[in-house]
Amino acid sequence: MPDKSLSSETSPAEPPKRKRALPVLAKKRAPDSQPEREIFARNLRKARIDAGLSQRELAAVTGIAQAHISELENAMHNVCIDTMVKLAQAVRKPLFQMFQP
């Protein structure tokens, strides 16, 4: 009597289903994102572009990682005052202007 448990349950034409290595995450944002963070992020990006700097060039000038600058420009992180001062100086803007809507 042939053993039915050894029979193939999937047909050879169907490839096996692949598992994802990492789950797909929605766009990451800081919890309870404050309007000031988003204003700073928008103004930082505009000031950087006006200064003619890429994120990579700004990273080289400030010593802040390019990925972190990207996250700051997307309002994904809180930013400390020392970092804000460094960034404002690098794009040649007074810090208070970085908070004007």
Side-chain angles (χ1 to χ4, degrees), residues 34-45:
Q34 298 171 353
E36 292 84 3
R37 184 184 311 127
E38 294 184 8
I39 290 168
F40 181 82
R42 183 179 55 243
N43 289 339
L44 173 60
R45 181 179 303 239

Side-chain angles (χ1 to χ4, degrees), residues 2-100:
D3 187 8
K4 292 183 181 179
S5 65
L6 296 178
S7 67
S8 173
E9 292 185 21
T10 59
S11 67
E14 293 179 31
K17 291 184 180 180
R18 293 178 45 174
K19 292 183 181 178
R20 293 190 63 88
L22 298 172
V24 177
L25 301 176
K27 187 175 179 181
K28 206 168 86 174
R29 293 191 74 86
D32 303 321
S33 184
Q34 298 171 353
E36 292 84 3
R37 184 184 311 127
E38 294 184 8
I39 290 168
F40 181 82
R42 183 179 55 243
N43 289 339
L44 173 60
R45 181 179 303 239
K46 183 179 183 324
R48 176 183 57 78
I49 292 169
D50 290 347
L53 296 171
S54 68
Q55 287 182 351
R56 185 173 289 169
E57 293 166 335
L58 183 59
V61 170
T62 60
I64 300 168
Q66 181 272 326
H68 190 63
I69 291 172
S70 174
E71 291 169 346
L72 293 176
E73 287 186 357
N74 287 297
M76 295 170 71
H77 290 291
N78 285 326
V79 58
C80 74
I81 189 76
D82 295 333
T83 303
M84 287 188 280
V85 169
K86 250 190 226 183
L87 291 167
Q89 289 174 343
V91 296
R92 298 179 292 279
K93 295 278 183 185
L95 184 57
F96 76 90
Q97 284 185 354
M98 302 297 277
F99 290 100
Q100 293 179 342

